[in-house]
Amino acid sequence: MNKFSTFKTKFNDLRWRMRNYKNDVKSLITNFFDKIYIGRIFKLNFFKGMLYLSPALILILIFTLYPIINSLLMAFYENYTPVDGMIDGFTLDNFKSVLKPGFLVAIKNTALIVFVSVPISVIISLFISVMLNSVKFLKSFFQTIFFLPYVTNTIAIGLVFSLMFDFDYGLINSILEFVGNTFVGDFFDLFGVTISPLHWKDSQATYATAMTTLLIYTIWGSLAFKIMVFTAGLQNIDKQYYDAAKVDGTSKWRIFTKITVPLLSPMIAYITITSFIGAFKSYTTVVALFGETGRTAGSVDLRTIVFYIYGYIMNGNALNPGELSRGAAASLMLFGIILVFTVIQMYVNKKRVHY
Amino acid sequence: MEVRLEGLTKQFTETIAVDNVSVTFESGKLIGLLGPSGCGKSTTLFMISGLLKPTKGKIYFGNDDVTNLAPEKRGIGLVFQNYALYPHMTVQQNIMFPLENLKLSRQEALERTKEMATLVGINELLDRKPAQLSGGQQQRVAIARALVKKPRVLLLDEPLSNLDARLRLQTREEIRRIQRETGITTIFVTHDQEEAMSISDKIIVMSKGLVQQEGIPQVVYNKPINLFVSKFLGNPPINTFDGKISNGKIIIGDIELGKTNCNDQNVVIGIRPEDFKVAEDGFEVSITDLSRIGRDTTVYFNLNGIETRALINSEEVSTVNKIKLKVKREKIHLFNPEAGDCINE
């Protein structure tokens, strides 16, 4: 015991001396470099900072910045062959050839997904998280349930949805059939609406039913992350605001609109902007439901903009010169659309968000 | 509006925060609920507000039993410790917010808002956001918001604890003025005895969930009912000594302080620093330290092994290190050493 404690004291003493020595060396180096100016702006700290950043910077340069610039240029190449990198010059024809009727359908599909699914999913997730926040019993159990879709594979969920929306054995149609045979169905019959099984996504599906299936799937799949963000935001709101509102006899709805939403508005703004961008890029949802063709068996076209871009990339080989350029042109247009909407949103948020 | 608590008890899972409290808050008075942190004073306030449900007991506003009434139906104004002003609303919107839930015309609501803003003196700040206000101004907005509904009772939770020392003095006078002008029954919670003593019509001293003593501040100060109250009130705090009564004399060590009718027993003797007087026939002590602040001088000396403070008129203290002191009999507080209760003659 005694031996050990003397050893410990000695060891700590040594450590102390080493630290002193280290500090001496450090201050010596700093003092030395402080006297040297490498230009007026590029002081030593700049190079030091660059050194620490370099691993990330190098990767970003190779895999992000270079491709961005390259695709920007590629959009204007004429007859670009990726194998030998030969081009015939620069042109704007790529943009013209992208703008075919098919691409316009893709823009329409994408726009529907963006402007329907994002607002609905934001509103639904906001309500769910407010309700989750007010339950005490089994709170974390419910939170886990609502977060499950986030950790589940998109394609796997798509398969489940495909089954659920199946015409013959699907759960949705079973429910519709059941409800249609009850008094609810009779009630709707009075207005000329028949509740019966629908062709959601098979060969006889219409654009409306196929798109509805896709939208339901997109909304449901995007709820989880939003709920998590909103729940975290709600927990940061001071309970006293609610107590104060309660003392003043404020109704639940007014508390929600006048206190919760404004105090959560930075989160809502963040979620809306990122979801808009995400929805503009939607691709996997379509593949998960309708396969790689992006069409139903009855050839209802549900392809999105990104679908088109991928199509060009897959076709881009020596036999099809210029396909990659068309893909680049399409992605540049997508970038433009996203940029415009994000700028508009930022502008709106500046007026309506309370930070 | 008189507020009456009858056997009010609040039990949290493990602890009893408020234990069988029965007190009356007289109508139109400014009443301070005073006690160290964790004594149950805020819990009591929140039970009066209705935000907490009592485990047992009744709350009456006048003759109405409000025990099971929701907060909004009780007609109370509540000012929170950190004010809870809505950060995204302007001062005017904040004050008007409680009115939006009532059936009032906008014109009337605006008038009332103006009226309250004038009362608390924040007329020129109506368009600002809470973040642009100083602590004292935020406090005024919070009071205006609580008063704008014309509540029957105003409740303030630690109203001054978030302010700096100078603002605290100013704001407590302000609270006093507003209470006088509106004549509203006001209950405020504080752990600062000086604050409570200076503005309250009545103080209620609490400790460990129990009411220790209630009454007019000066009376509670002069006649503390037990050792806790005597120690809690007063700054600098009371000096306490282990002493005894023998043959009708109060004795600390070998010093005789005075006479009493009590039976012989061991006692805790409490003497407030300002109750020592310089007198030729007093007991002699040697001064260990002196600090002179204007009119008063704090004299430190050792009395029977206890570091003791005495506040003495500066003119009566010379730089000599011996001084003769005396204490008036009625200023000597005797307490039972076990129970801490005051021993009455």
Side-chain angles (χ1 to χ4, degrees), chain B residues 196-227:
Chain B
M197 302 253 302
S198 59
I199 60 170
S200 316
D201 294 317
K202 172 179 161 181
I203 56 171
I204 294 168
V205 185
M206 286 183 76
S207 170
K208 294 174 183 163
L210 295 162
V211 171
Q212 304 291 328
Q213 193 172 3
E214 53 179 301
I216 297 160
Q218 205 51 45
V219 172
V220 177
Y221 183 79
N222 286 335
K223 297 243 174 282
I225 208 164
N226 59 30
L227 194 55

PDB file of all heavy atoms in Angstrom, chain B residues 196-227:
ATOM      1  N   ALA B 196     -39.620  40.285   1.583  1.00  0.00           N
ATOM      2  CA  ALA B 196     -40.945  40.023   2.139  1.00  0.00           C
ATOM      3  C   ALA B 196     -41.274  41.012   3.240  1.00  0.00           C
ATOM      4  O   ALA B 196     -42.373  41.565   3.291  1.00  0.00           O
ATOM      5  CB  ALA B 196     -41.011  38.598   2.672  1.00  0.00           C
ATOM      6  N   MET B 197     -40.301  41.272   4.110  1.00  0.00           N
ATOM      7  CA  MET B 197     -40.534  42.160   5.250  1.00  0.00           C
ATOM      8  C   MET B 197     -40.819  43.575   4.783  1.00  0.00           C
ATOM      9  O   MET B 197     -41.603  44.297   5.393  1.00  0.00           O
ATOM     10  CB  MET B 197     -39.304  42.177   6.154  1.00  0.00           C
ATOM     11  CG  MET B 197     -38.926  40.818   6.655  1.00  0.00           C
ATOM     12  SD  MET B 197     -39.284  40.561   8.374  1.00  0.00           S
ATOM     13  CE  MET B 197     -38.371  41.843   9.132  1.00  0.00           C
ATOM     14  N   SER B 198     -40.151  43.994   3.693  1.00  0.00           N
ATOM     15  CA  SER B 198     -40.219  45.400   3.332  1.00  0.00           C
ATOM     16  C   SER B 198     -41.541  45.790   2.688  1.00  0.00           C
ATOM     17  O   SER B 198     -41.962  46.926   2.828  1.00  0.00           O
ATOM     18  CB  SER B 198     -39.060  45.764   2.406  1.00  0.00           C
ATOM     19  OG  SER B 198     -39.129  44.978   1.254  1.00  0.00           O
ATOM     20  N   ILE B 199     -42.205  44.878   1.969  1.00  0.00           N
ATOM     21  CA  ILE B 199     -43.412  45.327   1.273  1.00  0.00           C
ATOM     22  C   ILE B 199     -44.695  44.643   1.718  1.00  0.00           C
ATOM     23  O   ILE B 199     -45.771  45.072   1.345  1.00  0.00           O
ATOM     24  CB  ILE B 199     -43.265  45.199  -0.265  1.00  0.00           C
ATOM     25  CG1 ILE B 199     -43.019  43.762  -0.678  1.00  0.00           C
ATOM     26  CG2 ILE B 199     -42.199  46.114  -0.790  1.00  0.00           C
ATOM     27  CD1 ILE B 199     -43.118  43.576  -2.180  1.00  0.00           C
ATOM     28  N   SER B 200     -44.604  43.573   2.509  1.00  0.00           N
ATOM     29  CA  SER B 200     -45.823  42.818   2.813  1.00  0.00           C
ATOM     30  C   SER B 200     -46.638  43.466   3.921  1.00  0.00           C
ATOM     31  O   SER B 200     -46.100  44.075   4.837  1.00  0.00           O
ATOM     32  CB  SER B 200     -45.484  41.396   3.254  1.00  0.00           C
ATOM     33  OG  SER B 200     -44.519  40.856   2.428  1.00  0.00           O
ATOM     34  N   ASP B 201     -47.965  43.276   3.805  1.00  0.00           N
ATOM     35  CA  ASP B 201     -48.833  43.618   4.932  1.00  0.00           C
ATOM     36  C   ASP B 201     -48.765  42.507   5.970  1.00  0.00           C
ATOM     37  O   ASP B 201     -48.991  42.723   7.144  1.00  0.00           O
ATOM     38  CB  ASP B 201     -50.281  43.752   4.448  1.00  0.00           C
ATOM     39  CG  ASP B 201     -50.436  44.917   3.504  1.00  0.00           C
ATOM     40  OD1 ASP B 201     -49.866  45.984   3.798  1.00  0.00           O
ATOM     41  OD2 ASP B 201     -51.083  44.760   2.464  1.00  0.00           O
ATOM     42  N   LYS B 202     -48.486  41.320   5.449  1.00  0.00           N
ATOM     43  CA  LYS B 202     -48.455  40.157   6.334  1.00  0.00           C
ATOM     44  C   LYS B 202     -47.489  39.157   5.727  1.00  0.00           C
ATOM     45  O   LYS B 202     -47.382  39.060   4.502  1.00  0.00           O
ATOM     46  CB  LYS B 202     -49.866  39.559   6.401  1.00  0.00           C
ATOM     47  CG  LYS B 202     -49.981  38.249   7.128  1.00  0.00           C
ATOM     48  CD  LYS B 202     -51.424  37.802   7.136  1.00  0.00           C
ATOM     49  CE  LYS B 202     -51.535  36.317   7.422  1.00  0.00           C
ATOM     50  NZ  LYS B 202     -52.917  35.870   7.410  1.00  0.00           N
ATOM     51  N   ILE B 203     -46.756  38.462   6.566  1.00  0.00           N
ATOM     52  CA  ILE B 203     -45.907  37.402   6.016  1.00  0.00           C
ATOM     53  C   ILE B 203     -46.295  36.064   6.626  1.00  0.00           C
ATOM     54  O   ILE B 203     -46.761  35.994   7.764  1.00  0.00           O
ATOM     55  CB  ILE B 203     -44.392  37.655   6.225  1.00  0.00           C
ATOM     56  CG1 ILE B 203     -44.058  37.852   7.695  1.00  0.00           C
ATOM     57  CG2 ILE B 203     -43.904  38.794   5.390  1.00  0.00           C
ATOM     58  CD1 ILE B 203     -42.567  37.894   7.960  1.00  0.00           C
ATOM     59  N   ILE B 204     -46.099  35.028   5.817  1.00  0.00           N
ATOM     60  CA  ILE B 204     -46.342  33.670   6.290  1.00  0.00           C
ATOM     61  C   ILE B 204     -45.033  32.924   6.093  1.00  0.00           C
ATOM     62  O   ILE B 204     -44.556  32.771   4.967  1.00  0.00           O
ATOM     63  CB  ILE B 204     -47.472  33.011   5.490  1.00  0.00           C
ATOM     64  CG1 ILE B 204     -48.790  33.744   5.760  1.00  0.00           C
ATOM     65  CG2 ILE B 204     -47.604  31.532   5.847  1.00  0.00           C
ATOM     66  CD1 ILE B 204     -49.908  33.376   4.830  1.00  0.00           C
ATOM     67  N   VAL B 205     -44.421  32.529   7.200  1.00  0.00           N
ATOM     68  CA  VAL B 205     -43.132  31.858   7.112  1.00  0.00           C
ATOM     69  C   VAL B 205     -43.364  30.355   7.066  1.00  0.00           C
ATOM     70  O   VAL B 205     -44.065  29.799   7.909  1.00  0.00           O
ATOM     71  CB  VAL B 205     -42.224  32.220   8.305  1.00  0.00           C
ATOM     72  CG1 VAL B 205     -40.845  31.605   8.126  1.00  0.00           C
ATOM     73  CG2 VAL B 205     -42.117  33.716   8.455  1.00  0.00           C
ATOM     74  N   MET B 206     -42.801  29.720   6.029  1.00  0.00           N
ATOM     75  CA  MET B 206     -42.963  28.275   5.874  1.00  0.00           C
ATOM     76  C   MET B 206     -41.629  27.570   5.944  1.00  0.00           C
ATOM     77  O   MET B 206     -40.592  28.129   5.597  1.00  0.00           O
ATOM     78  CB  MET B 206     -43.618  27.949   4.523  1.00  0.00           C
ATOM     79  CG  MET B 206     -45.092  28.271   4.455  1.00  0.00           C
ATOM     80  SD  MET B 206     -45.797  27.780   2.888  1.00  0.00           S
ATOM     81  CE  MET B 206     -45.914  26.014   3.091  1.00  0.00           C
ATOM     82  N   SER B 207     -41.666  26.335   6.417  1.00  0.00           N
ATOM     83  CA  SER B 207     -40.482  25.493   6.391  1.00  0.00           C
ATOM     84  C   SER B 207     -40.928  24.045   6.377  1.00  0.00           C
ATOM     85  O   SER B 207     -41.848  23.666   7.108  1.00  0.00           O
ATOM     86  CB  SER B 207     -39.615  25.762   7.609  1.00  0.00           C
ATOM     87  OG  SER B 207     -38.608  24.778   7.686  1.00  0.00           O
ATOM     88  N   LYS B 208     -40.315  23.245   5.529  1.00  0.00           N
ATOM     89  CA  LYS B 208     -40.610  21.810   5.417  1.00  0.00           C
ATOM     90  C   LYS B 208     -42.103  21.550   5.232  1.00  0.00           C
ATOM     91  O   LYS B 208     -42.666  20.640   5.841  1.00  0.00           O
ATOM     92  CB  LYS B 208     -40.087  21.071   6.637  1.00  0.00           C
ATOM     93  CG  LYS B 208     -38.573  21.094   6.711  1.00  0.00           C
ATOM     94  CD  LYS B 208     -38.070  20.492   7.986  1.00  0.00           C
ATOM     95  CE  LYS B 208     -36.564  20.602   8.068  1.00  0.00           C
ATOM     96  NZ  LYS B 208     -36.078  20.399   9.429  1.00  0.00           N
ATOM     97  N   GLY B 209     -42.759  22.372   4.452  1.00  0.00           N
ATOM     98  CA  GLY B 209     -44.169  22.152   4.155  1.00  0.00           C
ATOM     99  C   GLY B 209     -45.123  22.605   5.232  1.00  0.00           C
ATOM    100  O   GLY B 209     -46.327  22.432   5.099  1.00  0.00           O
ATOM    101  N   LEU B 210     -44.598  23.154   6.300  1.00  0.00           N
ATOM    102  CA  LEU B 210     -45.458  23.592   7.402  1.00  0.00           C
ATOM    103  C   LEU B 210     -45.393  25.099   7.565  1.00  0.00           C
ATOM    104  O   LEU B 210     -44.347  25.710   7.341  1.00  0.00           O
ATOM    105  CB  LEU B 210     -44.993  22.951   8.718  1.00  0.00           C
ATOM    106  CG  LEU B 210     -45.103  21.436   8.827  1.00  0.00           C
ATOM    107  CD1 LEU B 210     -44.232  20.935   9.954  1.00  0.00           C
ATOM    108  CD2 LEU B 210     -46.555  21.029   9.039  1.00  0.00           C
ATOM    109  N   VAL B 211     -46.509  25.677   7.969  1.00  0.00           N
ATOM    110  CA  VAL B 211     -46.494  27.101   8.296  1.00  0.00           C
ATOM    111  C   VAL B 211     -45.888  27.252   9.680  1.00  0.00           C
ATOM    112  O   VAL B 211     -46.338  26.628  10.647  1.00  0.00           O
ATOM    113  CB  VAL B 211     -47.926  27.675   8.271  1.00  0.00           C
ATOM    114  CG1 VAL B 211     -47.922  29.094   8.820  1.00  0.00           C
ATOM    115  CG2 VAL B 211     -48.471  27.664   6.867  1.00  0.00           C
ATOM    116  N   GLN B 212     -44.822  28.043   9.768  1.00  0.00           N
ATOM    117  CA  GLN B 212     -44.176  28.230  11.060  1.00  0.00           C
ATOM    118  C   GLN B 212     -44.830  29.360  11.824  1.00  0.00           C
ATOM    119  O   GLN B 212     -45.102  29.257  13.007  1.00  0.00           O
ATOM    120  CB  GLN B 212     -42.688  28.523  10.865  1.00  0.00           C
ATOM    121  CG  GLN B 212     -41.943  27.469  10.074  1.00  0.00           C
ATOM    122  CD  GLN B 212     -41.818  26.164  10.834  1.00  0.00           C
ATOM    123  OE1 GLN B 212     -41.733  26.153  12.054  1.00  0.00           O
ATOM    124  NE2 GLN B 212     -41.842  25.055  10.117  1.00  0.00           N
ATOM    125  N   GLN B 213     -45.036  30.470  11.130  1.00  0.00           N
ATOM    126  CA  GLN B 213     -45.593  31.638  11.808  1.00  0.00           C
ATOM    127  C   GLN B 213     -46.190  32.563  10.782  1.00  0.00           C
ATOM    128  O   GLN B 213     -45.716  32.650   9.647  1.00  0.00           O
ATOM    129  CB  GLN B 213     -44.483  32.379  12.583  1.00  0.00           C
ATOM    130  CG  GLN B 213     -45.030  33.400  13.555  1.00  0.00           C
ATOM    131  CD  GLN B 213     -43.939  33.988  14.444  1.00  0.00           C
ATOM    132  OE1 GLN B 213     -42.765  33.658  14.284  1.00  0.00           O
ATOM    133  NE2 GLN B 213     -44.324  34.848  15.360  1.00  0.00           N
ATOM    134  N   GLU B 214     -47.267  33.247  11.144  1.00  0.00           N
ATOM    135  CA  GLU B 214     -47.810  34.260  10.256  1.00  0.00           C
ATOM    136  C   GLU B 214     -48.126  35.506  11.048  1.00  0.00           C
ATOM    137  O   GLU B 214     -48.367  35.437  12.255  1.00  0.00           O
ATOM    138  CB  GLU B 214     -49.070  33.737   9.548  1.00  0.00           C
ATOM    139  CG  GLU B 214     -50.128  33.190  10.475  1.00  0.00           C
ATOM    140  CD  GLU B 214     -51.353  32.719   9.703  1.00  0.00           C
ATOM    141  OE1 GLU B 214     -51.947  33.553   9.010  1.00  0.00           O
ATOM    142  OE2 GLU B 214     -51.695  31.537   9.804  1.00  0.00           O
ATOM    143  N   GLY B 215     -48.097  36.638  10.373  1.00  0.00           N
ATOM    144  CA  GLY B 215     -48.403  37.876  11.065  1.00  0.00           C
ATOM    145  C   GLY B 215     -47.794  39.069  10.384  1.00  0.00           C
ATOM    146  O   GLY B 215     -47.195  38.962   9.310  1.00  0.00           O
ATOM    147  N   ILE B 216     -47.973  40.228  11.026  1.00  0.00           N
ATOM    148  CA  ILE B 216     -47.383  41.464  10.520  1.00  0.00           C
ATOM    149  C   ILE B 216     -45.858  41.323  10.597  1.00  0.00           C
ATOM    150  O   ILE B 216     -45.334  40.836  11.603  1.00  0.00           O
ATOM    151  CB  ILE B 216     -47.877  42.656  11.363  1.00  0.00           C
ATOM    152  CG1 ILE B 216     -49.396  42.779  11.201  1.00  0.00           C
ATOM    153  CG2 ILE B 216     -47.189  43.944  10.967  1.00  0.00           C
ATOM    154  CD1 ILE B 216     -50.069  43.564  12.291  1.00  0.00           C
ATOM    155  N   PRO B 217     -45.139  41.709   9.544  1.00  0.00           N
ATOM    156  CA  PRO B 217     -43.696  41.439   9.489  1.00  0.00           C
ATOM    157  C   PRO B 217     -42.938  41.821  10.762  1.00  0.00           C
ATOM    158  O   PRO B 217     -42.170  41.023  11.282  1.00  0.00           O
ATOM    159  CB  PRO B 217     -43.238  42.274   8.297  1.00  0.00           C
ATOM    160  CG  PRO B 217     -44.420  42.365   7.422  1.00  0.00           C
ATOM    161  CD  PRO B 217     -45.615  42.338   8.313  1.00  0.00           C
ATOM    162  N   GLN B 218     -43.188  43.044  11.267  1.00  0.00           N
ATOM    163  CA  GLN B 218     -42.400  43.497  12.413  1.00  0.00           C
ATOM    164  C   GLN B 218     -42.688  42.652  13.655  1.00  0.00           C
ATOM    165  O   GLN B 218     -41.794  42.383  14.453  1.00  0.00           O
ATOM    166  CB  GLN B 218     -42.699  44.983  12.681  1.00  0.00           C
ATOM    167  CG  GLN B 218     -41.580  45.705  13.389  1.00  0.00           C
ATOM    168  CD  GLN B 218     -40.233  45.498  12.700  1.00  0.00           C
ATOM    169  OE1 GLN B 218     -40.134  45.582  11.484  1.00  0.00           O
ATOM    170  NE2 GLN B 218     -39.200  45.208  13.481  1.00  0.00           N
ATOM    171  N   VAL B 219     -43.945  42.224  13.779  1.00  0.00           N
ATOM    172  CA  VAL B 219     -44.312  41.399  14.931  1.00  0.00           C
ATOM    173  C   VAL B 219     -43.623  40.045  14.846  1.00  0.00           C
ATOM    174  O   VAL B 219     -43.069  39.544  15.838  1.00  0.00           O
ATOM    175  CB  VAL B 219     -45.850  41.227  15.000  1.00  0.00           C
ATOM    176  CG1 VAL B 219     -46.225  40.230  16.068  1.00  0.00           C
ATOM    177  CG2 VAL B 219     -46.530  42.558  15.222  1.00  0.00           C
ATOM    178  N   VAL B 220     -43.627  39.452  13.645  1.00  0.00           N
ATOM    179  CA  VAL B 220     -42.962  38.161  13.470  1.00  0.00           C
ATOM    180  C   VAL B 220     -41.477  38.302  13.758  1.00  0.00           C
ATOM    181  O   VAL B 220     -40.863  37.440  14.384  1.00  0.00           O
ATOM    182  CB  VAL B 220     -43.195  37.631  12.036  1.00  0.00           C
ATOM    183  CG1 VAL B 220     -42.461  36.324  11.819  1.00  0.00           C
ATOM    184  CG2 VAL B 220     -44.679  37.449  11.773  1.00  0.00           C
ATOM    185  N   TYR B 221     -40.932  39.427  13.339  1.00  0.00           N
ATOM    186  CA  TYR B 221     -39.506  39.665  13.539  1.00  0.00           C
ATOM    187  C   TYR B 221     -39.184  39.814  15.026  1.00  0.00           C
ATOM    188  O   TYR B 221     -38.230  39.226  15.532  1.00  0.00           O
ATOM    189  CB  TYR B 221     -39.121  40.939  12.779  1.00  0.00           C
ATOM    190  CG  TYR B 221     -37.650  41.277  12.829  1.00  0.00           C
ATOM    191  CD1 TYR B 221     -36.751  40.613  12.003  1.00  0.00           C
ATOM    192  CD2 TYR B 221     -37.171  42.276  13.667  1.00  0.00           C
ATOM    193  CE1 TYR B 221     -35.414  40.913  12.033  1.00  0.00           C
ATOM    194  CE2 TYR B 221     -35.831  42.592  13.695  1.00  0.00           C
ATOM    195  CZ  TYR B 221     -34.946  41.911  12.881  1.00  0.00           C
ATOM    196  OH  TYR B 221     -33.626  42.217  12.903  1.00  0.00           O
ATOM    197  N   ASN B 222     -40.008  40.578  15.735  1.00  0.00           N
ATOM    198  CA  ASN B 222     -39.732  40.842  17.147  1.00  0.00           C
ATOM    199  C   ASN B 222     -40.085  39.673  18.043  1.00  0.00           C
ATOM    200  O   ASN B 222     -39.482  39.486  19.086  1.00  0.00           O
ATOM    201  CB  ASN B 222     -40.510  42.082  17.609  1.00  0.00           C
ATOM    202  CG  ASN B 222     -39.883  43.350  17.073  1.00  0.00           C
ATOM    203  OD1 ASN B 222     -38.686  43.375  16.774  1.00  0.00           O
ATOM    204  ND2 ASN B 222     -40.695  44.379  16.911  1.00  0.00           N
ATOM    205  N   LYS B 223     -41.106  38.934  17.665  1.00  0.00           N
ATOM    206  CA  LYS B 223     -41.535  37.809  18.509  1.00  0.00           C
ATOM    207  C   LYS B 223     -41.544  36.517  17.713  1.00  0.00           C
ATOM    208  O   LYS B 223     -42.603  35.947  17.427  1.00  0.00           O
ATOM    209  CB  LYS B 223     -42.940  38.078  19.068  1.00  0.00           C
ATOM    210  CG  LYS B 223     -43.023  39.279  19.984  1.00  0.00           C
ATOM    211  CD  LYS B 223     -43.439  38.866  21.375  1.00  0.00           C
ATOM    212  CE  LYS B 223     -43.401  40.023  22.362  1.00  0.00           C
ATOM    213  NZ  LYS B 223     -42.032  40.345  22.824  1.00  0.00           N
ATOM    214  N   PRO B 224     -40.374  36.020  17.297  1.00  0.00           N
ATOM    215  CA  PRO B 224     -40.349  34.771  16.539  1.00  0.00           C
ATOM    216  C   PRO B 224     -40.855  33.623  17.392  1.00  0.00           C
ATOM    217  O   PRO B 224     -40.508  33.538  18.575  1.00  0.00           O
ATOM    218  CB  PRO B 224     -38.883  34.598  16.161  1.00  0.00           C
ATOM    219  CG  PRO B 224     -38.140  35.403  17.149  1.00  0.00           C
ATOM    220  CD  PRO B 224     -39.017  36.544  17.547  1.00  0.00           C
ATOM    221  N   ILE B 225     -41.652  32.791  16.802  1.00  0.00           N
ATOM    222  CA  ILE B 225     -42.312  31.739  17.555  1.00  0.00           C
ATOM    223  C   ILE B 225     -41.375  30.565  17.800  1.00  0.00           C
ATOM    224  O   ILE B 225     -41.540  29.797  18.732  1.00  0.00           O
ATOM    225  CB  ILE B 225     -43.592  31.298  16.801  1.00  0.00           C
ATOM    226  CG1 ILE B 225     -44.630  30.762  17.767  1.00  0.00           C
ATOM    227  CG2 ILE B 225     -43.295  30.289  15.721  1.00  0.00           C
ATOM    228  CD1 ILE B 225     -46.012  30.689  17.142  1.00  0.00           C
ATOM    229  N   ASN B 226     -40.369  30.412  16.938  1.00  0.00           N
ATOM    230  CA  ASN B 226     -39.393  29.334  17.169  1.00  0.00           C
ATOM    231  C   ASN B 226     -38.029  29.705  16.606  1.00  0.00           C
ATOM    232  O   ASN B 226     -37.850  30.751  15.973  1.00  0.00           O
ATOM    233  CB  ASN B 226     -39.907  28.008  16.586  1.00  0.00           C
ATOM    234  CG  ASN B 226     -40.170  28.097  15.098  1.00  0.00           C
ATOM    235  OD1 ASN B 226     -39.514  28.865  14.402  1.00  0.00           O
ATOM    236  ND2 ASN B 226     -41.131  27.332  14.617  1.00  0.00           N
ATOM    237  N   LEU B 227     -37.103  28.814  16.845  1.00  0.00           N
ATOM    238  CA  LEU B 227     -35.711  29.073  16.471  1.00  0.00           C
ATOM    239  C   LEU B 227     -35.564  29.272  14.963  1.00  0.00           C
ATOM    240  O   LEU B 227     -34.822  30.138  14.506  1.00  0.00           O
ATOM    241  CB  LEU B 227     -34.858  27.892  16.945  1.00  0.00           C
ATOM    242  CG  LEU B 227     -33.348  28.090  16.967  1.00  0.00           C
ATOM    243  CD1 LEU B 227     -32.972  29.304  17.782  1.00  0.00           C
ATOM    244  CD2 LEU B 227     -32.666  26.841  17.510  1.00  0.00           C
TER     245      LEU B 227
END
